Amino acid sequence: MAHAEESDQTAGTAPTRGRVPVIIGLVLALIGGGGGFYAAFEGLFPFPQATERVLSAIKADTEAPAGADNADMAFVPIDPLVISLSGDGQTRHLRFHAQLEVEQDDAAEVARVMPRIVDVLNTYLRALSITDLENNGAMLRLRAQMLRRVQIVTGRDGVNDLLIMEFVLN
């Protein structure tokens, strides 16, 4: 019977010893989180230069009136492409048509290098598999990749955006 009483006493004190480090950890985490929030809120942590550029661009976008930039904008059409894709033992076709958003002054230069742009897009789209095109979110990823390749051909400032007009996979 004395043995049973000893086990009851040790069982009763064990959980309280296990709770103390957890409570201390929670208190320290709350103090650290609160201190970090205060330091960031008060500006004690300087933002990296890239973050400042992003914040200033967002501020500029919200301050600019709607349609202010559209006066100098032009759209250069890309000839429609039909790409043969094979995979899973079947051949499918992708019909792709897009336009490039450029500054009015750059439209002639972008049109001049259009054969290179078509070649880059044709090569990229032919390298894709059918599963790459059918995944969720594929359009955003493909659009970003194609814009990047077009900007390499035309120069970084030549093309502002790639607008997909038609993207049909049959």
Side-chain angles (χ1 to χ4, degrees):
M1 189 146 175
H3 188 58
E5 290 174 10
E6 289 176 15
S7 66
D8 288 342
Q9 290 175 352
T10 58
T13 58
T16 57
R17 277 192 242 154
R19 290 183 188 164
V20 172
V22 171
I23 292 172
I24 291 173
L26 286 174
V27 169
L28 290 175
L30 287 173
I31 291 171
F37 173 77
Y38 175 77
F41 186 73
E42 291 297 320
L44 299 176
F45 296 129
F47 283 112
Q49 187 178 10
T51 305
E52 288 179 6
R53 278 186 276 154
V54 169
L55 291 176
S56 65
I58 291 171
K59 184 178 178 184
D61 285 346
T62 58
E63 292 176 353
D69 300 325
N70 294 344
D72 295 334
M73 187 181 349
F75 295 97
V76 179
I78 298 173
D79 293 333
L81 302 172
V82 178
I83 310 293
S84 297
L85 303 168
S86 60
D88 301 333
Q90 59 184 359
T91 300
R92 296 174 74 181
H93 294 90
L94 169 68
R95 181 165 168 81
F96 176 79
H97 181 242
Q99 292 191 10
L100 301 173
E101 179 184 315
V102 299
E103 297 292 327
Q104 189 73 30
D105 299 337
D106 296 331
E109 179 63 24
V110 171
R112 189 181 68 79
V113 295
M114 189 55 68
R116 288 190 183 273
I117 293 171
V118 170
D119 179 58
V120 165
L121 293 177
N122 203 358
T123 304
Y124 174 69
L125 291 171
R126 285 190 189 273
L128 296 174
S129 67
I130 294 173
T131 57
D132 291 335
L133 300 174
E134 292 176 339
N135 290 337
N136 292 340
M139 183 68 75
L140 293 174
R141 183 178 46 81
L142 293 171
R143 183 173 176 255
Q145 288 291 327
M146 288 186 284
L147 176 60
R148 181 178 154 270
R149 284 165 170 74
V150 168
Q151 286 176 334
I152 290 171
V153 170
T154 62
R156 284 280 175 205
D157 297 332
V159 176
N160 298 330
D161 203 0
L162 181 131
L163 306 169
I164 298 176
M165 309 310 288
E166 185 178 11
F167 193 89
V168 179
L169 180 65
N170 65 2

mmCIF file with all atom_site columns, all heavy atoms in Angstrom, residues 48-74:
data_model
loop_
_atom_site.group_PDB
_atom_site.id
_atom_site.type_symbol
_atom_site.label_atom_id
_atom_site.label_alt_id
_atom_site.label_comp_id
_atom_site.label_asym_id
_atom_site.label_entity_id
_atom_site.label_seq_id
_atom_site.pdbx_PDB_ins_code
_atom_site.Cartn_x
_atom_site.Cartn_y
_atom_site.Cartn_z
_atom_site.occupancy
_atom_site.B_iso_or_equiv
_atom_site.pdbx_formal_charge
_atom_site.auth_seq_id
_atom_site.auth_comp_id
_atom_site.auth_asym_id
_atom_site.auth_atom_id
_atom_site.pdbx_PDB_model_num
ATOM 1   N N   . PRO A 1 48 ? 14.751 46.550 -47.062 1.00 0.00 ? 48 PRO A N   1
ATOM 2   C CA  . PRO A 1 48 ? 15.719 46.427 -48.150 1.00 0.00 ? 48 PRO A CA  1
ATOM 3   C C   . PRO A 1 48 ? 15.320 47.333 -49.305 1.00 0.00 ? 48 PRO A C   1
ATOM 4   O O   . PRO A 1 48 ? 14.168 47.725 -49.444 1.00 0.00 ? 48 PRO A O   1
ATOM 5   C CB  . PRO A 1 48 ? 15.624 44.953 -48.557 1.00 0.00 ? 48 PRO A CB  1
ATOM 6   C CG  . PRO A 1 48 ? 14.966 44.263 -47.412 1.00 0.00 ? 48 PRO A CG  1
ATOM 7   C CD  . PRO A 1 48 ? 14.131 45.284 -46.719 1.00 0.00 ? 48 PRO A CD  1
ATOM 8   N N   . GLN A 1 49 ? 16.276 47.658 -50.132 1.00 0.00 ? 49 GLN A N   1
ATOM 9   C CA  . GLN A 1 49 ? 16.052 48.591 -51.230 1.00 0.00 ? 49 GLN A CA  1
ATOM 10  C C   . GLN A 1 49 ? 14.980 48.092 -52.188 1.00 0.00 ? 49 GLN A C   1
ATOM 11  O O   . GLN A 1 49 ? 14.159 48.863 -52.669 1.00 0.00 ? 49 GLN A O   1
ATOM 12  C CB  . GLN A 1 49 ? 17.356 48.821 -51.980 1.00 0.00 ? 49 GLN A CB  1
ATOM 13  C CG  . GLN A 1 49 ? 17.256 49.902 -53.033 1.00 0.00 ? 49 GLN A CG  1
ATOM 14  C CD  . GLN A 1 49 ? 18.579 50.144 -53.714 1.00 0.00 ? 49 GLN A CD  1
ATOM 15  O OE1 . GLN A 1 49 ? 19.525 49.398 -53.529 1.00 0.00 ? 49 GLN A OE1 1
ATOM 16  N NE2 . GLN A 1 49 ? 18.652 51.182 -54.505 1.00 0.00 ? 49 GLN A NE2 1
ATOM 17  N N   . ALA A 1 50 ? 14.955 46.796 -52.452 1.00 0.00 ? 50 ALA A N   1
ATOM 18  C CA  . ALA A 1 50 ? 13.953 46.250 -53.373 1.00 0.00 ? 50 ALA A CA  1
ATOM 19  C C   . ALA A 1 50 ? 12.553 46.433 -52.814 1.00 0.00 ? 50 ALA A C   1
ATOM 20  O O   . ALA A 1 50 ? 11.614 46.750 -53.544 1.00 0.00 ? 50 ALA A O   1
ATOM 21  C CB  . ALA A 1 50 ? 14.227 44.775 -53.638 1.00 0.00 ? 50 ALA A CB  1
ATOM 22  N N   . THR A 1 51 ? 12.384 46.251 -51.522 1.00 0.00 ? 51 THR A N   1
ATOM 23  C CA  . THR A 1 51 ? 11.077 46.416 -50.904 1.00 0.00 ? 51 THR A CA  1
ATOM 24  C C   . THR A 1 51 ? 10.631 47.865 -50.991 1.00 0.00 ? 51 THR A C   1
ATOM 25  O O   . THR A 1 51 ? 9.461  48.150 -51.235 1.00 0.00 ? 51 THR A O   1
ATOM 26  C CB  . THR A 1 51 ? 11.123 45.956 -49.439 1.00 0.00 ? 51 THR A CB  1
ATOM 27  O OG1 . THR A 1 51 ? 11.610 44.624 -49.395 1.00 0.00 ? 51 THR A OG1 1
ATOM 28  C CG2 . THR A 1 51 ? 9.748  46.011 -48.805 1.00 0.00 ? 51 THR A CG2 1
ATOM 29  N N   . GLU A 1 52 ? 11.563 48.790 -50.807 1.00 0.00 ? 52 GLU A N   1
ATOM 30  C CA  . GLU A 1 52 ? 11.218 50.203 -50.919 1.00 0.00 ? 52 GLU A CA  1
ATOM 31  C C   . GLU A 1 52 ? 10.760 50.537 -52.338 1.00 0.00 ? 52 GLU A C   1
ATOM 32  O O   . GLU A 1 52 ? 9.821  51.312 -52.527 1.00 0.00 ? 52 GLU A O   1
ATOM 33  C CB  . GLU A 1 52 ? 12.409 51.075 -50.526 1.00 0.00 ? 52 GLU A CB  1
ATOM 34  C CG  . GLU A 1 52 ? 12.691 51.055 -49.046 1.00 0.00 ? 52 GLU A CG  1
ATOM 35  C CD  . GLU A 1 52 ? 13.890 51.900 -48.669 1.00 0.00 ? 52 GLU A CD  1
ATOM 36  O OE1 . GLU A 1 52 ? 14.441 52.594 -49.541 1.00 0.00 ? 52 GLU A OE1 1
ATOM 37  O OE2 . GLU A 1 52 ? 14.268 51.854 -47.492 1.00 0.00 ? 52 GLU A OE2 1
ATOM 38  N N   . ARG A 1 53 ? 11.407 49.944 -53.350 1.00 0.00 ? 53 ARG A N   1
ATOM 39  C CA  . ARG A 1 53 ? 10.994 50.186 -54.728 1.00 0.00 ? 53 ARG A CA  1
ATOM 40  C C   . ARG A 1 53 ? 9.596  49.659 -54.979 1.00 0.00 ? 53 ARG A C   1
ATOM 41  O O   . ARG A 1 53 ? 8.787  50.294 -55.654 1.00 0.00 ? 53 ARG A O   1
ATOM 42  C CB  . ARG A 1 53 ? 11.979 49.557 -55.701 1.00 0.00 ? 53 ARG A CB  1
ATOM 43  C CG  . ARG A 1 53 ? 13.203 50.423 -55.950 1.00 0.00 ? 53 ARG A CG  1
ATOM 44  C CD  . ARG A 1 53 ? 14.057 49.836 -57.011 1.00 0.00 ? 53 ARG A CD  1
ATOM 45  N NE  . ARG A 1 53 ? 14.895 48.856 -56.308 1.00 0.00 ? 53 ARG A NE  1
ATOM 46  C CZ  . ARG A 1 53 ? 15.440 47.797 -56.843 1.00 0.00 ? 53 ARG A CZ  1
ATOM 47  N NH1 . ARG A 1 53 ? 15.277 47.543 -58.103 1.00 0.00 ? 53 ARG A NH1 1
ATOM 48  N NH2 . ARG A 1 53 ? 16.172 46.977 -56.135 1.00 0.00 ? 53 ARG A NH2 1
ATOM 49  N N   . VAL A 1 54 ? 9.287  48.489 -54.434 1.00 0.00 ? 54 VAL A N   1
ATOM 50  C CA  . VAL A 1 54 ? 7.961  47.907 -54.610 1.00 0.00 ? 54 VAL A CA  1
ATOM 51  C C   . VAL A 1 54 ? 6.918  48.786 -53.929 1.00 0.00 ? 54 VAL A C   1
ATOM 52  O O   . VAL A 1 54 ? 5.863  49.087 -54.492 1.00 0.00 ? 54 VAL A O   1
ATOM 53  C CB  . VAL A 1 54 ? 7.915  46.463 -54.059 1.00 0.00 ? 54 VAL A CB  1
ATOM 54  C CG1 . VAL A 1 54 ? 6.493  45.954 -53.990 1.00 0.00 ? 54 VAL A CG1 1
ATOM 55  C CG2 . VAL A 1 54 ? 8.768  45.547 -54.907 1.00 0.00 ? 54 VAL A CG2 1
ATOM 56  N N   . LEU A 1 55 ? 7.216  49.235 -52.709 1.00 0.00 ? 55 LEU A N   1
ATOM 57  C CA  . LEU A 1 55 ? 6.274  50.083 -51.996 1.00 0.00 ? 55 LEU A CA  1
ATOM 58  C C   . LEU A 1 55 ? 6.065  51.412 -52.715 1.00 0.00 ? 55 LEU A C   1
ATOM 59  O O   . LEU A 1 55 ? 4.947  51.918 -52.796 1.00 0.00 ? 55 LEU A O   1
ATOM 60  C CB  . LEU A 1 55 ? 6.758  50.319 -50.563 1.00 0.00 ? 55 LEU A CB  1
ATOM 61  C CG  . LEU A 1 55 ? 6.720  49.097 -49.648 1.00 0.00 ? 55 LEU A CG  1
ATOM 62  C CD1 . LEU A 1 55 ? 7.323  49.437 -48.297 1.00 0.00 ? 55 LEU A CD1 1
ATOM 63  C CD2 . LEU A 1 55 ? 5.318  48.575 -49.487 1.00 0.00 ? 55 LEU A CD2 1
ATOM 64  N N   . SER A 1 56 ? 7.129  51.984 -53.261 1.00 0.00 ? 56 SER A N   1
ATOM 65  C CA  . SER A 1 56 ? 6.974  53.247 -53.985 1.00 0.00 ? 56 SER A CA  1
ATOM 66  C C   . SER A 1 56 ? 6.196  53.043 -55.288 1.00 0.00 ? 56 SER A C   1
ATOM 67  O O   . SER A 1 56 ? 5.430  53.902 -55.691 1.00 0.00 ? 56 SER A O   1
ATOM 68  C CB  . SER A 1 56 ? 8.329  53.891 -54.267 1.00 0.00 ? 56 SER A CB  1
ATOM 69  O OG  . SER A 1 56 ? 9.086  53.093 -55.143 1.00 0.00 ? 56 SER A OG  1
ATOM 70  N N   . ALA A 1 57 ? 6.368  51.894 -55.940 1.00 0.00 ? 57 ALA A N   1
ATOM 71  C CA  . ALA A 1 57 ? 5.608  51.608 -57.156 1.00 0.00 ? 57 ALA A CA  1
ATOM 72  C C   . ALA A 1 57 ? 4.133  51.439 -56.841 1.00 0.00 ? 57 ALA A C   1
ATOM 73  O O   . ALA A 1 57 ? 3.264  51.911 -57.581 1.00 0.00 ? 57 ALA A O   1
ATOM 74  C CB  . ALA A 1 57 ? 6.148  50.360 -57.845 1.00 0.00 ? 57 ALA A CB  1
ATOM 75  N N   . ILE A 1 58 ? 3.830  50.780 -55.729 1.00 0.00 ? 58 ILE A N   1
ATOM 76  C CA  . ILE A 1 58 ? 2.436  50.612 -55.325 1.00 0.00 ? 58 ILE A CA  1
ATOM 77  C C   . ILE A 1 58 ? 1.834  51.974 -55.015 1.00 0.00 ? 58 ILE A C   1
ATOM 78  O O   . ILE A 1 58 ? 0.707  52.279 -55.407 1.00 0.00 ? 58 ILE A O   1
ATOM 79  C CB  . ILE A 1 58 ? 2.329  49.662 -54.122 1.00 0.00 ? 58 ILE A CB  1
ATOM 80  C CG1 . ILE A 1 58 ? 2.680  48.235 -54.540 1.00 0.00 ? 58 ILE A CG1 1
ATOM 81  C CG2 . ILE A 1 58 ? 0.938  49.718 -53.499 1.00 0.00 ? 58 ILE A CG2 1
ATOM 82  C CD1 . ILE A 1 58 ? 2.807  47.274 -53.401 1.00 0.00 ? 58 ILE A CD1 1
ATOM 83  N N   . LYS A 1 59 ? 2.583  52.807 -54.323 1.00 0.00 ? 59 LYS A N   1
ATOM 84  C CA  . LYS A 1 59 ? 2.103  54.144 -53.992 1.00 0.00 ? 59 LYS A CA  1
ATOM 85  C C   . LYS A 1 59 ? 1.861  54.956 -55.264 1.00 0.00 ? 59 LYS A C   1
ATOM 86  O O   . LYS A 1 59 ? 0.858  55.646 -55.387 1.00 0.00 ? 59 LYS A O   1
ATOM 87  C CB  . LYS A 1 59 ? 3.113  54.854 -53.097 1.00 0.00 ? 59 LYS A CB  1
ATOM 88  C CG  . LYS A 1 59 ? 2.659  56.200 -52.639 1.00 0.00 ? 59 LYS A CG  1
ATOM 89  C CD  . LYS A 1 59 ? 3.680  56.829 -51.718 1.00 0.00 ? 59 LYS A CD  1
ATOM 90  C CE  . LYS A 1 59 ? 3.236  58.215 -51.300 1.00 0.00 ? 59 LYS A CE  1
ATOM 91  N NZ  . LYS A 1 59 ? 4.238  58.886 -50.497 1.00 0.00 ? 59 LYS A NZ  1
ATOM 92  N N   . ALA A 1 60 ? 2.772  54.858 -56.223 1.00 0.00 ? 60 ALA A N   1
ATOM 93  C CA  . ALA A 1 60 ? 2.614  55.585 -57.482 1.00 0.00 ? 60 ALA A CA  1
ATOM 94  C C   . ALA A 1 60 ? 1.405  55.091 -58.258 1.00 0.00 ? 60 ALA A C   1
ATOM 95  O O   . ALA A 1 60 ? 0.691  55.877 -58.870 1.00 0.00 ? 60 ALA A O   1
ATOM 96  C CB  . ALA A 1 60 ? 3.870  55.456 -58.333 1.00 0.00 ? 60 ALA A CB  1
ATOM 97  N N   . ASP A 1 61 ? 1.161  53.784 -58.229 1.00 0.00 ? 61 ASP A N   1
ATOM 98  C CA  . ASP A 1 61 ? 0.004  53.226 -58.931 1.00 0.00 ? 61 ASP A CA  1
ATOM 99  C C   . ASP A 1 61 ? -1.309 53.693 -58.307 1.00 0.00 ? 61 ASP A C   1
ATOM 100 O O   . ASP A 1 61 ? -2.284 53.933 -59.006 1.00 0.00 ? 61 ASP A O   1
ATOM 101 C CB  . ASP A 1 61 ? 0.044  51.700 -58.933 1.00 0.00 ? 61 ASP A CB  1
ATOM 102 C CG  . ASP A 1 61 ? 1.067  51.148 -59.909 1.00 0.00 ? 61 ASP A CG  1
ATOM 103 O OD1 . ASP A 1 61 ? 1.540  51.922 -60.760 1.00 0.00 ? 61 ASP A OD1 1
ATOM 104 O OD2 . ASP A 1 61 ? 1.388  49.952 -59.805 1.00 0.00 ? 61 ASP A OD2 1
ATOM 105 N N   . THR A 1 62 ? -1.332 53.795 -56.989 1.00 0.00 ? 62 THR A N   1
ATOM 106 C CA  . THR A 1 62 ? -2.568 54.214 -56.339 1.00 0.00 ? 62 THR A CA  1
ATOM 107 C C   . THR A 1 62 ? -2.801 55.705 -56.487 1.00 0.00 ? 62 THR A C   1
ATOM 108 O O   . THR A 1 62 ? -3.937 56.152 -56.469 1.00 0.00 ? 62 THR A O   1
ATOM 109 C CB  . THR A 1 62 ? -2.555 53.847 -54.843 1.00 0.00 ? 62 THR A CB  1
ATOM 110 O OG1 . THR A 1 62 ? -1.414 54.459 -54.220 1.00 0.00 ? 62 THR A OG1 1
ATOM 111 C CG2 . THR A 1 62 ? -2.508 52.349 -54.659 1.00 0.00 ? 62 THR A CG2 1
ATOM 112 N N   . GLU A 1 63 ? -1.733 56.489 -56.664 1.00 0.00 ? 63 GLU A N   1
ATOM 113 C CA  . GLU A 1 63 ? -1.882 57.932 -56.797 1.00 0.00 ? 63 GLU A CA  1
ATOM 114 C C   . GLU A 1 63 ? -2.170 58.369 -58.227 1.00 0.00 ? 63 GLU A C   1
ATOM 115 O O   . GLU A 1 63 ? -2.744 59.416 -58.455 1.00 0.00 ? 63 GLU A O   1
ATOM 116 C CB  . GLU A 1 63 ? -0.617 58.640 -56.309 1.00 0.00 ? 63 GLU A CB  1
ATOM 117 C CG  . GLU A 1 63 ? -0.411 58.520 -54.818 1.00 0.00 ? 63 GLU A CG  1
ATOM 118 C CD  . GLU A 1 63 ? 0.887  59.125 -54.357 1.00 0.00 ? 63 GLU A CD  1
ATOM 119 O OE1 . GLU A 1 63 ? 1.696  59.536 -55.229 1.00 0.00 ? 63 GLU A OE1 1
ATOM 120 O OE2 . GLU A 1 63 ? 1.107  59.190 -53.155 1.00 0.00 ? 63 GLU A OE2 1
ATOM 121 N N   . ALA A 1 64 ? -1.761 57.586 -59.208 1.00 0.00 ? 64 ALA A N   1
ATOM 122 C CA  . ALA A 1 64 ? -1.954 57.973 -60.611 1.00 0.00 ? 64 ALA A CA  1
ATOM 123 C C   . ALA A 1 64 ? -3.418 57.847 -60.990 1.00 0.00 ? 64 ALA A C   1
ATOM 124 O O   . ALA A 1 64 ? -4.064 56.863 -60.657 1.00 0.00 ? 64 ALA A O   1
ATOM 125 C CB  . ALA A 1 64 ? -1.109 57.094 -61.520 1.00 0.00 ? 64 ALA A CB  1
ATOM 126 N N   . PRO A 1 65 ? -3.958 58.830 -61.692 1.00 0.00 ? 65 PRO A N   1
ATOM 127 C CA  . PRO A 1 65 ? -5.349 58.712 -62.130 1.00 0.00 ? 65 PRO A CA  1
ATOM 128 C C   . PRO A 1 65 ? -5.486 57.621 -63.182 1.00 0.00 ? 65 PRO A C   1
ATOM 129 O O   . PRO A 1 65 ? -4.565 57.345 -63.939 1.00 0.00 ? 65 PRO A O   1
ATOM 130 C CB  . PRO A 1 65 ? -5.659 60.091 -62.710 1.00 0.00 ? 65 PRO A CB  1
ATOM 131 C CG  . PRO A 1 65 ? -4.345 60.712 -63.003 1.00 0.00 ? 65 PRO A CG  1
ATOM 132 C CD  . PRO A 1 65 ? -3.353 60.086 -62.066 1.00 0.00 ? 65 PRO A CD  1
ATOM 133 N N   . ALA A 1 66 ? -6.646 57.025 -63.245 1.00 0.00 ? 66 ALA A N   1
ATOM 134 C CA  . ALA A 1 66 ? -6.892 55.936 -64.189 1.00 0.00 ? 66 ALA A CA  1
ATOM 135 C C   . ALA A 1 66 ? -6.782 56.450 -65.615 1.00 0.00 ? 66 ALA A C   1
ATOM 136 O O   . ALA A 1 66 ? -7.336 57.487 -65.960 1.00 0.00 ? 66 ALA A O   1
ATOM 137 C CB  . ALA A 1 66 ? -8.265 55.334 -63.945 1.00 0.00 ? 66 ALA A CB  1
ATOM 138 N N   . GLY A 1 67 ? -6.048 55.729 -66.440 1.00 0.00 ? 67 GLY A N   1
ATOM 139 C CA  . GLY A 1 67 ? -5.917 56.067 -67.846 1.00 0.00 ? 67 GLY A CA  1
ATOM 140 C C   . GLY A 1 67 ? -4.846 57.094 -68.152 1.00 0.00 ? 67 GLY A C   1
ATOM 141 O O   . GLY A 1 67 ? -4.720 57.515 -69.294 1.00 0.00 ? 67 GLY A O   1
ATOM 142 N N   . ALA A 1 68 ? -4.058 57.515 -67.159 1.00 0.00 ? 68 ALA A N   1
ATOM 143 C CA  . ALA A 1 68 ? -3.041 58.535 -67.405 1.00 0.00 ? 68 ALA A CA  1
ATOM 144 C C   . ALA A 1 68 ? -1.904 57.994 -68.264 1.00 0.00 ? 68 ALA A C   1
ATOM 145 O O   . ALA A 1 68 ? -1.324 58.713 -69.056 1.00 0.00 ? 68 ALA A O   1
ATOM 146 C CB  . ALA A 1 68 ? -2.491 59.049 -66.084 1.00 0.00 ? 68 ALA A CB  1
ATOM 147 N N   . ASP A 1 69 ? -1.580 56.719 -68.121 1.00 0.00 ? 69 ASP A N   1
ATOM 148 C CA  . ASP A 1 69 ? -0.465 56.126 -68.860 1.00 0.00 ? 69 ASP A CA  1
ATOM 149 C C   . ASP A 1 69 ? -0.882 55.621 -70.235 1.00 0.00 ? 69 ASP A C   1
ATOM 150 O O   . ASP A 1 69 ? -0.038 55.281 -71.052 1.00 0.00 ? 69 ASP A O   1
ATOM 151 C CB  . ASP A 1 69 ? 0.137  54.964 -68.069 1.00 0.00 ? 69 ASP A CB  1
ATOM 152 C CG  . ASP A 1 69 ? 0.663  55.405 -66.718 1.00 0.00 ? 69 ASP A CG  1
ATOM 153 O OD1 . ASP A 1 69 ? 1.177  56.536 -66.606 1.00 0.00 ? 69 ASP A OD1 1
ATOM 154 O OD2 . ASP A 1 69 ? 0.557  54.603 -65.784 1.00 0.00 ? 69 ASP A OD2 1
ATOM 155 N N   . ASN A 1 70 ? -2.159 55.537 -70.512 1.00 0.00 ? 70 ASN A N   1
ATOM 156 C CA  . ASN A 1 70 ? -2.644 54.907 -71.735 1.00 0.00 ? 70 ASN A CA  1
ATOM 157 C C   . ASN A 1 70 ? -2.369 55.721 -72.990 1.00 0.00 ? 70 ASN A C   1
ATOM 158 O O   . ASN A 1 70 ? -2.419 55.186 -74.083 1.00 0.00 ? 70 ASN A O   1
ATOM 159 C CB  . ASN A 1 70 ? -4.140 54.630 -71.615 1.00 0.00 ? 70 ASN A CB  1
ATOM 160 C CG  . ASN A 1 70 ? -4.434 53.602 -70.549 1.00 0.00 ? 70 ASN A CG  1
ATOM 161 O OD1 . ASN A 1 70 ? -3.546 52.884 -70.102 1.00 0.00 ? 70 ASN A OD1 1
ATOM 162 N ND2 . ASN A 1 70 ? -5.674 53.544 -70.118 1.00 0.00 ? 70 ASN A ND2 1
ATOM 163 N N   . ALA A 1 71 ? -2.073 56.994 -72.862 1.00 0.00 ? 71 ALA A N   1
ATOM 164 C CA  . ALA A 1 71 ? -1.864 57.829 -74.046 1.00 0.00 ? 71 ALA A CA  1
ATOM 165 C C   . ALA A 1 71 ? -0.618 57.422 -74.813 1.00 0.00 ? 71 ALA A C   1
ATOM 166 O O   . ALA A 1 71 ? -0.583 57.504 -76.038 1.00 0.00 ? 71 ALA A O   1
ATOM 167 C CB  . ALA A 1 71 ? -1.775 59.295 -73.637 1.00 0.00 ? 71 ALA A CB  1
ATOM 168 N N   . ASP A 1 72 ? 0.410  56.966 -74.124 1.00 0.00 ? 72 ASP A N   1
ATOM 169 C CA  . ASP A 1 72 ? 1.662  56.588 -74.771 1.00 0.00 ? 72 ASP A CA  1
ATOM 170 C C   . ASP A 1 72 ? 1.755  55.090 -75.036 1.00 0.00 ? 72 ASP A C   1
ATOM 171 O O   . ASP A 1 72 ? 2.823  54.598 -75.367 1.00 0.00 ? 72 ASP A O   1
ATOM 172 C CB  . ASP A 1 72 ? 2.846  57.023 -73.898 1.00 0.00 ? 72 ASP A CB  1
ATOM 173 C CG  . ASP A 1 72 ? 2.923  58.527 -73.772 1.00 0.00 ? 72 ASP A CG  1
ATOM 174 O OD1 . ASP A 1 72 ? 2.443  59.216 -74.684 1.00 0.00 ? 72 ASP A OD1 1
ATOM 175 O OD2 . ASP A 1 72 ? 3.477  59.006 -72.769 1.00 0.00 ? 72 ASP A OD2 1
ATOM 176 N N   . MET A 1 73 ? 0.656  54.365 -74.907 1.00 0.00 ? 73 MET A N   1
ATOM 177 C CA  . MET A 1 73 ? 0.679  52.919 -75.031 1.00 0.00 ? 73 MET A CA  1
ATOM 178 C C   . MET A 1 73 ? 0.243  52.494 -76.431 1.00 0.00 ? 73 MET A C   1
ATOM 179 O O   . MET A 1 73 ? -0.643 53.095 -77.032 1.00 0.00 ? 73 MET A O   1
ATOM 180 C CB  . MET A 1 73 ? -0.266 52.315 -74.001 1.00 0.00 ? 73 MET A CB  1
ATOM 181 C CG  . MET A 1 73 ? -0.214 50.833 -73.921 1.00 0.00 ? 73 MET A CG  1
ATOM 182 S SD  . MET A 1 73 ? -1.370 50.096 -72.713 1.00 0.00 ? 73 MET A SD  1
ATOM 183 C CE  . MET A 1 73 ? -1.985 51.439 -71.772 1.00 0.00 ? 73 MET A CE  1
ATOM 184 N N   . ALA A 1 74 ? 0.882  51.450 -76.940 1.00 0.00 ? 74 ALA A N   1
ATOM 185 C CA  . ALA A 1 74 ? 0.500  50.872 -78.229 1.00 0.00 ? 74 ALA A CA  1
ATOM 186 C C   . ALA A 1 74 ? 0.494  49.351 -78.074 1.00 0.00 ? 74 ALA A C   1
ATOM 187 O O   . ALA A 1 74 ? 1.153  48.799 -77.193 1.00 0.00 ? 74 ALA A O   1
ATOM 188 C CB  . ALA A 1 74 ? 1.478  51.292 -79.314 1.00 0.00 ? 74 ALA A CB  1
#
